[in-house]
Structure formats: C-alpha cells, structure tokens
Amino acid sequence: MNGILRIAFKLLVNDRGKFTALLVGITFAVFLMVMMTSMFAGILSRSSSTVTNIGAKMWVLDPAVNNVSSSIPMPDYVQDAVRSIDGVRYAVPLYSGGALIKLKNGVYQAVTVIGLDDASLFGRPELIEGKIEDIYAENGFIVVQDAEITKLGNPRIGTEFEINDHKGVVVGIAKANISGLFGIPTLYTTFNRAISYLPSTRFTASYILVEPKSKSDIPHIKQEVNKLGYQALTDDEFIQKISNFYKYQTGLGINVMLMTAISFIVGLSISGQTFYTFILENLEKFGALKAIGAKGHELVSMILFQAGFTAFLGYGLGVGLASLIIMSAKLRMPDYAAQITNLNLGIAFVMVLIIAGISSYIGIRRVIRIEPFDIFRG
Amino acid sequence: MASLAIKATNLAKWFGEGDARTMAVKSVSFEASFGELLYIVGPSGSGKTTLLSMISGILKPNSGTVLVEDRDIWMMESDELADFRLNKIGFVFQDYHLFPRLTTVENVAIPLILKKNDWNQSLKVASEYLKIVGLEQRAALPPVKLSGGEQQRVAIARAIASRPDILIFDEPTASLDGDTGRKILEFVREHILNETRCIIIVTHDSRIFEYAHRIIRMEDGRIIGEEHEK
C-alpha cells in the first residue's frame, strides 16, 4: 500500500470510536437499503411467478390486463387468428383462475387453478412425484409443492378434495420454480377440466401462449395481434408489465422507494456527520502535513481512501448482514419473499458511493481550505 | 565565512483591506547563514510568526522576496513549493502536531513517507532519528504516552528526518518547564545544529536566549534591534 494511504488507514482505524460509528452508519444504511429493495424484488419476482413457471415465449392477452392473476378471458376466435399468423409455430390456450376447494377435513382453501392445453400440456410443471399423463385421469389435478402446500394438508398422490362440487384427486406433485405472491396453493389440470369444473364466463381462455418460429417473427406477431385488439408480449415484457403495475399503480413501489431513500438519508447523516467530525478533529494535523510538504492531491487521496475504505467495508458488512437475515428468515418462513438481486446490490453500491462521495467532499473542502499558516497561528 | 541560507528583502504582509487592513510585517529584511542558530523574538503580535511563515514558504508575502540558497521561493508553483518545504525545511510546531493515532516512530517517518520512501525503510530511518533524540525505547508508543519534553524531541526527530537545510522552531519551549526547555535547546545546539544547517527559532521565552548565536528583536512588524552572541 502507498505510504500516504497507509498513514490515512492507520489514522482511520486507530480512532476506534469514530471508525466504529462510521462503519455502523454505513452498514446499517446498506442493510436497510438491501433489505427493502430485496423484499421488493422478491415481491416482484413472485408476482410474475406464473409467467416464469409456465415458460411460454409469448403471451397474448387483453391490453387491460396488468397482472397475471387478473386475466380477462378472450374469445376463441383470437386463438384461431393467432394460430394463422405467419411466424407462429403454435398457439395454445391457458386458463388461470381462482377457486375454493374443500379439503377432507372440511376446511375450505382458496387455490389458483392453471388449466393447460389438453393436447400439448404446454407450460406443464416439472413433476417430483407421479406422471404427467395422469393429469388426463378422471378428476386429476397436480399440486405444486411450494411454501403453500401445507395449506392443503400436505397432500400425497391419491388425496381427494372437492372443487366446486366436483371431485378432485391429486395425481402428481410438481416442483415450483418460483412460489406465488399471495400465499395461495396452485393446482394444475387440463384446460377443459378447468373450464368445466369451475364457473366460467362466456369466454374461457385467460391467455394464449405462443411459440414463434424464430425471434425475428416476434415483431410481426405483435403487430398482427394488435390488429385484433389484443396485445402480444414476450415473457420478459409481460414480467415487466406486471412489475410496472406493482411499482407504479399499487403504491408498493413508491413506499419501498421512500424507505430506501430514508435508509440512504439515515446512512448519509450518520456517516457524513461522523466523517466530518473525524476530519475536523484531524484538521490541524492535515494542516501540519501540508506545512511539512504534503501536496493537496495527496491529502485528497487520503480522505478519499478513508471514505472509500469505510464505505466498501460497510457495504460488505451490510450486504452480509442482510443476506444472513434473509437466509435465516427463509429457513423459518418459507413464504418470505425477499430476494437479493444484482440490481439491489448495484443500487446499494451506488448509494454507498454517493454517501462516501458526499462525506469526503465535505471533508476535502475543509482540508483544502486549511492554511498551514493557521497551524503556526494556532 | 558561512554561506547564506536565507535572504529576506523588504518583506511585508498585511491582512484585510481598506480600513480593516492590519500590517503584520512592515518591510523587513534580514539574512540567516548555515551553522547559525537565529532567534526571532518579540512580544505577542509583533509579526514574528508571520515572518517565520513567509520565509518558510507557508504564507505568501504581499511584497518583498525570500531567497533560499539563491532561489526566490515565492516564484515557485504550489507543488514545487510543497516539495521545497519537504526537502529543505523542517518544522517544529508549537503544539508539536504529532498524530496521536500513529506510533512515535511512524510520526517521525512522515516526511520520509511523503518523500515516497518505502514504508519499512522509512520506519528504519525514523528509528535512527529517534535514537539521535534519545527516544528509541519509545518508538512503539503513541505520542500521548510521552511527556511534553519527549514529544518535543519526537517533533525534532520528525523535523530532521528529511535532512532539511533549514529548521524552523515555533515557540519550542512554550509548553515546557524551564529545565526541560533549556535541555531541549542545549540538545538542539549540540546535536542538531551543524555547519550545513540553519536553525531559526521564534520565541519570547527569555530563559533560552543564551543559546542563540544571534537574536533579531521585532515589534509592531518591524525589526527594532539585533544582538550577537557574546
């Protein structure tokens, strides 16, 4: 390490009280920012779980649909029209709706029912137990083994229940890539069984899943679907649409953004104030260094190093602490939705850089302005 | 005859403008030679610290020149001036300005580190200077664990560590008792002063006047008299 930076390092870490206060400030701020944004990321990820789990490349939907659970059924001709568009390899309907099931013990439980196209079973889940073809068996349903399965009394293959006065039998247990947002168990069945067992509107297809022949066909498919008065979105676009709904139309996003901003302000206040006090206490010493022959840029590098070192260490500790808490929470609460993403880490990192930048800017201004003559003059 | 270390000509410095202008130093000229222990003395507010700051490259005069080894230091750019102070001038501040969070030896090594020497090599050289001031046993302690006299000696070791030609002491005995002050000055004269070094001390402590080769007396920003060692 460069000698002058080593001096800066020793000045910083040997002042244990201030160094600890600085670290606590930044760690706490990073912890809060990562926790808030991670919870939000988790919520957003779960809000699109159906889109991710089904895995279709394109979704055709009513333009008014803004999240996957509030679908608007489409008439059958839309599916036929989509199938006839150039560049569509195939297009199948998907049913998505809510229902109440009555368990063996008499308890009613809300569930999400996904009805897969009978012919292709496109969007079928990966099974842990049972065989996918058993979905065609009489009253066959596949239960998703996620955090919510306990609400169905931990069913096994053969477990029976009632759904809208129809009998239902569990024929398979599926793995869920991402659990749902609302804490409701998910059942898969065929499209036809779904619309015959559950009370349906005149139109039955919640979505039409499209497999384009190639990526280059996607713009054309979108254009043609638009002409029908519907919207065709890629899976990423649909996820983004759902994400935008939660971010901008539910108040969730603004609340999380405010909490993140408050965390930033708390971190900035603690760290900025402590770092400024640290600089003030050492101001005469910096003046003495200047008198001895230290150049302005060397003093600036000392301060930037001190602020940067504290910021990066605090960032690491904050991220570590947040990860530990999220991991522990997930072990105890399977429903816990927090998810640390690169974007969360990036946001917290940028915020920490801003905290370090502002803190050091205040310090640098004081140090640059100190005249060695002031040291002589006392 | 000893060669000239500093030549100050018509130095003037004022603070403020208009009616608020205060003349701190009024057209002062003097010279100091290598091998000389020169005192600048005078009452508080006489301009001695301002004069010291101008000849050491810290405070720019409003008029006049300062030649150090025949170079006008106030014609230098700021980085060049910083290098000049680092290489040519050693400072012993009134309050020592030692870093309490560094060890004694690290404090002494600061000028060497500023001169881009390797950290371990700087500490090694600093230890030798601590030995010169008799504090090699205190190397690992922080300065706050040392007495006032010991801290003063650490400050001296730091000032001489970069082997400067000119040493500047600002009120070196202000925080010391009479005996310790005299011992410090005896030490400076016997061990720090040599034929290639000029030492300038600003003080108003008459108890240490006996160690000076020459004393310049200041009052109201002017030199009012000069005495030579008898």
Side-chain angles (χ1 to χ4, degrees):
Chain A
M1 191 192 295
N2 177 313
I4 193 103
L5 298 187
R6 200 155 167 177
I7 293 175
F9 175 76
K10 286 185 167 245
L11 291 178
L12 177 71
V13 298
N14 288 350
D15 189 348
R16 291 201 184 115
K18 294 245 164 23
F19 184 52
T20 307
L22 273 171
L23 268 188
V24 167
I26 292 184
T27 302
F28 187 58
V30 170
F31 169 72
L32 286 178
M33 287 188 281
V34 172
M35 286 302 290
M36 291 309 302
T37 52
S38 297
M39 282 192 273
F40 192 46
I43 288 169
L44 290 185
S45 166
R46 288 190 176 208
S47 67
S48 309
S49 59
T50 304
V51 181
T52 310
N53 291 338
I54 293 293
K57 288 197 180 110
M58 288 190 84
W59 293 64
V60 174
L61 51 137
D62 190 288
V65 170
N66 45 31
N67 72 88
V68 76
S69 56
S70 58
S71 57
I72 299 172
M74 291 174 282
D76 293 346
Y77 79 83
V78 179
Q79 185 190 328
D80 297 334
V82 171
R83 279 179 173 160
S84 65
I85 295 171
D86 278 347
V88 171
R89 190 184 303 278
Y90 56 82
V92 296
L94 182 81
Y95 176 88
S96 172
L100 271 179
I101 64 167
K102 188 180 177 187
L103 304 176
K104 273 281 179 196
N105 58 10
V107 170
Y108 282 88
Q109 172 63 47
V111 293
T112 299
V113 176
I114 307 281
L116 302 173
D117 172 53
D118 292 59
S120 63
L121 296 182
F122 183 61
R124 59 184 172 271
E126 189 183 331
L127 293 192
I128 303 167
E129 285 179 46
K131 289 180 284 189
I132 191 66
E133 53 268 33
D134 288 344
I135 202 169
Y136 296 117
E138 200 176 355
N139 307 319
F141 284 84
I142 290 168
V143 179
V144 174
Q145 189 173 44
D146 56 11
E148 322 306 337
I149 194 168
T150 53
K151 292 172 182 168
L152 300 176
N154 287 315
R156 313 298 311 163
I157 289 178
T159 301
E160 294 180 359
F161 53 88
E162 281 180 32
I163 181 164
N164 195 29
D165 236 13
H166 293 273
K167 184 180 170 186
V169 180
V170 176
V171 294
I173 310 285
K175 190 169 103 180
N177 292 326
I178 302 173
S179 299
L181 177 62
F182 299 109
I184 300 173
T186 306
L187 301 178
Y188 280 87
T189 190
T190 58
F191 182 85
N192 282 325
R193 183 172 298 122
I195 61 172
S196 64
Y197 279 29
L198 298 173
S200 300
T201 51
R202 183 175 161 215
F203 305 134
T204 51
S206 309
Y207 300 99
I208 294 163
L209 310 179
V210 178
E211 179 69 23
K213 284 179 182 163
S214 70
K215 270 189 179 178
S216 57
D217 291 317
I218 291 175
H220 171 69
I221 295 171
K222 282 181 174 186
Q223 207 175 15
E224 292 302 309
V225 171
N226 276 348
K227 285 181 190 166
L228 297 171
Y230 290 88
Q231 194 173 26
L233 299 173
T234 62
D235 49 353
D236 287 340
E237 286 167 345
F238 193 18
I239 288 170
Q240 190 59 50
K241 187 176 188 181
I242 296 164
S243 169
N244 289 344
F245 168 71
Y246 283 102
K247 273 193 242 178
Y248 306 119
Q249 291 177 50
T250 62
L252 198 62
I254 196 78
N255 285 331
V256 171
M257 202 172 77
L258 277 176
M259 282 305 296
T260 308
I262 289 168
S263 314
F264 170 74
I265 291 165
V266 167
L268 180 62
S269 310
I270 300 174
S271 309
Q273 177 64 33
T274 314
F275 196 67
Y276 186 57
T277 314
F278 173 78
I279 295 294
L280 279 189
E281 281 184 9
N282 286 294
L283 201 57
E284 284 192 347
K285 306 290 184 283
F286 281 112
L289 277 180
K290 222 172 180 179
I292 290 170
K295 296 179 185 78
H297 68 85
E298 288 173 325
L299 299 181
V300 169
S301 69
M302 284 177 81
I303 293 170
L304 287 177
F305 177 78
Q306 288 171 330
F309 177 76
T310 315
F312 292 136
L313 190 56
Y315 176 76
L317 289 174
V319 169
L321 188 63
S323 309
L324 201 68
I325 298 279
I326 290 172
M327 220 164 64
S328 311
K330 279 191 170 176
L331 284 177
R332 288 180 173 274
M333 297 178 285
D335 271 341
Y336 191 61
Q339 180 183 346
I340 296 180
T341 64
N342 289 337
L343 184 64
N344 305 146
L345 297 177
I347 289 171
F349 188 72
V350 170
M351 297 283 202
V352 161
L353 282 185
I354 294 172
I355 290 175
I358 293 175
S359 303
S360 47
Y361 172 71
I362 299 166
I364 286 168
R365 269 180 49 141
R366 289 303 302 258
V367 168
I368 289 293
R369 275 160 44 185
I370 178 92
E371 288 295 336
F373 177 58
D374 297 332
I375 303 303
F376 275 121
R377 208 162 38 178
Chain B
M1 189 181 166
S3 59
L4 210 55
I6 298 175
K7 184 178 181 184
T9 309
N10 295 325
L11 282 181
K13 181 69 190 178
W14 59 82
F15 298 101
E17 290 298 330
D19 292 342
R21 178 187 283 193
T22 310
M23 289 298 294
V25 173
K26 301 166 186 167
S27 193
V28 166
S29 299
F30 77 96
E31 293 173 353
S33 303
F34 288 112
E36 186 177 30
L37 179 56
L38 171 68
Y39 280 29
I40 299 172
V41 305
S44 187
S46 58
K48 53 189 191 300
T49 298
T50 306
L51 179 61
L52 191 74
S53 304
M54 289 191 289
I55 62 172
S56 57
I58 278 177
L59 184 67
K60 189 167 186 174
N62 292 107
S63 67
T65 56
V66 178
L67 298 183
V68 174
E69 294 172 18
D70 294 330
R71 282 196 69 190
D72 186 344
I73 63 168
W74 289 109
M75 297 299 284
M76 296 176 184
E77 296 294 322
S78 76
D79 276 4
E80 195 184 357
L81 198 55
D83 280 337
F84 158 77
R85 289 198 301 268
L86 184 60
N87 292 305
K88 295 286 180 187
I89 312 269
F91 292 95
V92 179
F93 305 104
Q94 184 177 339
D95 299 325
Y96 320 133
H97 289 301
L98 300 173
F99 287 87
R101 310 288 174 197
L102 301 180
T103 63
T104 298
V105 69
E106 286 166 349
N107 266 285
V108 175
I110 283 174
L112 302 165
I113 291 163
L114 287 176
K115 287 172 100 168
K116 310 277 187 283
N117 287 306
D118 168 70
W119 179 266
N120 291 329
Q121 181 62 23
S122 299
L123 292 188
K124 200 175 160 191
V125 174
S127 303
E128 287 164 19
Y129 282 96
L130 269 183
K131 204 170 177 180
I132 292 173
V133 298
L135 290 173
E136 67 271 30
Q137 302 297 325
R138 308 282 203 177
L141 293 178
V144 287
K145 298 268 174 131
L146 307 181
S147 68
E150 286 174 328
Q151 289 188 35
Q152 180 70 284
R153 280 193 278 161
V154 174
I156 293 170
R158 181 176 68 183
I160 60 174
S162 59
R163 302 165 67 97
D165 298 335
I166 299 162
L167 272 179
I168 303 281
F169 285 68
D170 185 27
E171 302 284 3
T173 56
S175 320
L176 304 175
D177 61 74
D179 270 355
T180 312
R182 274 190 289 276
K183 277 181 191 162
I184 291 285
L185 263 297
E186 272 169 25
F187 177 78
V188 167
R189 189 159 165 164
E190 282 172 26
H191 299 284
I192 309 299
L193 185 65
N194 58 43
E195 289 306 309
T196 60
R197 184 172 281 157
C198 169
I199 299 179
I200 300 175
I201 296 178
V202 159
T203 184
H204 58 258
D205 184 356
S206 57
R207 295 172 302 182
I208 57 165
F209 284 2
E210 60 187 284
Y211 299 101
H213 290 144
R214 187 160 58 107
I215 296 175
I216 290 175
R217 289 191 184 277
M218 286 188 75
E219 206 171 296
D220 291 332
R222 294 182 195 283
I223 294 176
I224 57 161
E226 197 173 313
E227 295 165 29
H228 289 264
E229 190 180 33
K230 288 166 191 168

